[in-house]
Amino acid sequence: MKVGVVGAGLVGATAAYAMTLRNSCSDLVLVDQDGARARAEAQDIAHAAPISHGARVGSGDYAALEGSRVVIIAAGANQKPGESRTDLLDKNADIFRQVIPQVAAHAPGAVLLIATNPVDALTDLAVSLAPGHAVMGSGTVLDSARLRWLIAQHAGVDATNVHGYVLGEHGDSEVIAWSSMAVAGLPVADFMAARGLPWTPEICAEIETGTRDAAASIIGGKRATYYGIGAALARITERVLGDRRAVLTVSAPTPEYGVSLSLPRVVGAGGIEASVMPRLTDEEKAALERSAAALRASVARLGL
């Protein structure tokens, strides 16, 4: 039950901390080009282990990843103010070309879980750099959680009783599958009507904007997002380690769209066991195709 985390920055370290608190794994190793940062983060997280679940937390070089069942890839640069996503893709693609072959060589049986942005294009790149490995990106697992939380806030219910998905790109072209959203087994509009709550196109638009712009809003206030994605990465990892066959909107190569994007997928010990296309309206289908087209344009820059 060993997990590796490559990239001990805010996202990687927070994911490691979340896994320590959640009892996600028995062993956890952090790897970073800044060895001192990896050692310090591992030591700080390890001090939480005796008062949580006792995970063994350490750090090391790529060789320390041997025996990992999952390796989270959080290495890369963050998007700077004024920097385009294209510039960010070029920068992080160069980093991946150095990192992924090293991870693949030292953790040959591991499922690779990509967290670095732009996550969809970098998932495609990782697949090409680690042949034979199961690879998936964190995709829209966090976006779907944000959507569920916003709907739950309006409905006045526990967010775990809201079900639905954000599809496509983890980014500006993401698609909310409103037609399949449900609260306690009821279509959202029916649930709101039963509770005597308003549910209008304007409210839907407000929730959609809140979902899509959540990262920008958080970054504006604290310069980075890491708690939500850290918890999402822990959850995905647990589903692999426990062979839970959970349905999560992770990103993976999708032949019918010619690119990696997020759809509901069954996640188990081997990574992605199956993919499920939800029933969509014609408008949602068109939006998903536009999202895929935007992603294909990004991936074309990588020569894949």
Side-chain angles (χ1 to χ4, degrees):
M1 298 287 281
K2 180 178 179 180
V3 175
V5 178
V6 177
L10 289 172
V11 170
T14 304
Y17 182 54
M19 287 187 285
T20 300
L21 295 185
R22 290 167 61 100
N23 196 25
S24 303
C25 56
S26 61
D27 294 85
L28 189 58
V29 60
L30 278 70
V31 176
D32 195 282
Q33 66 174 357
D34 182 348
R37 172 68 180 267
R39 286 190 296 274
E41 293 288 4
Q43 184 178 18
D44 197 9
I45 294 167
H47 294 165
I51 48 178
S52 53
H53 299 280
R56 294 178 289 271
V57 184
S59 64
D61 57 16
Y62 287 109
L65 297 172
E66 183 179 359
S68 297
R69 289 183 57 192
V70 179
V71 177
I72 297 171
I73 310 294
N78 293 322
Q79 192 168 5
K80 298 178 180 178
E83 183 178 37
S84 72
R85 289 180 65 83
T86 298
D87 290 339
L88 181 65
L89 174 59
D90 292 343
K91 187 186 304 182
N92 283 339
D94 287 340
I95 293 171
F96 265 47
R97 292 185 181 102
Q98 300 173 42
V99 168
I100 299 299
Q102 293 270 23
V103 174
H106 289 95
V111 174
L112 305 188
L113 174 53
I114 311 302
T116 307
N117 280 319
V119 69
D120 302 293
L122 291 176
T123 297
D124 272 329
L125 180 58
V127 169
S128 72
L129 294 171
H133 274 259
V135 179
M136 59 183 164
S138 55
T140 59
V141 173
L142 177 57
D143 309 77
S144 297
R146 288 167 171 163
L147 172 64
R148 293 167 61 201
W149 181 79
L150 287 167
I151 293 173
Q153 291 292 105
H154 185 74
V157 300
D158 183 335
T160 60
N161 292 305
V162 179
H163 301 282
Y165 303 111
V166 177
L167 311 175
E169 179 191 15
H170 171 60
D172 293 340
S173 71
E174 65 186 27
V175 179
I176 294 178
W178 284 112
S179 61
S180 58
M181 291 294 306
V183 181
L186 293 174
V188 179
D190 292 353
F191 182 88
M192 298 301 180
R195 290 287 307 274
L197 297 170
W199 188 248
T200 64
E202 291 75 21
I203 293 172
C204 290
E206 183 179 344
I207 289 174
E208 188 160 344
T209 298
T211 301
R212 184 172 287 109
D213 295 347
S217 175
I218 295 167
I219 291 168
K222 55 179 272 187
R223 300 187 180 180
T225 67
Y226 38 91
Y227 293 127
I229 185 58
L233 292 167
R235 182 176 176 82
I236 298 166
T237 299
E238 291 162 4
R239 272 51 194 167
V240 175
L241 295 177
D243 194 21
R244 294 291 298 275
R245 313 293 175 90
V247 179
L248 300 168
T249 51
V250 293
S251 182
T254 309
E256 56 266 46
Y257 290 102
V259 73
S260 282
L261 50 71
S262 291
L263 291 175
R265 304 184 193 272
V266 180
V267 177
I272 294 171
E273 308 284 349
S275 300
V276 181
M277 175 61 76
R279 186 176 298 163
L280 302 175
T281 65
D282 289 344
E283 183 179 352
E284 290 165 348
K285 290 177 183 176
L288 185 56
E289 177 51 47
R290 289 193 297 272
S291 185
L295 289 170
R296 287 194 296 269
S298 293
V299 170
R301 290 183 57 84
L302 302 177
L304 300 179

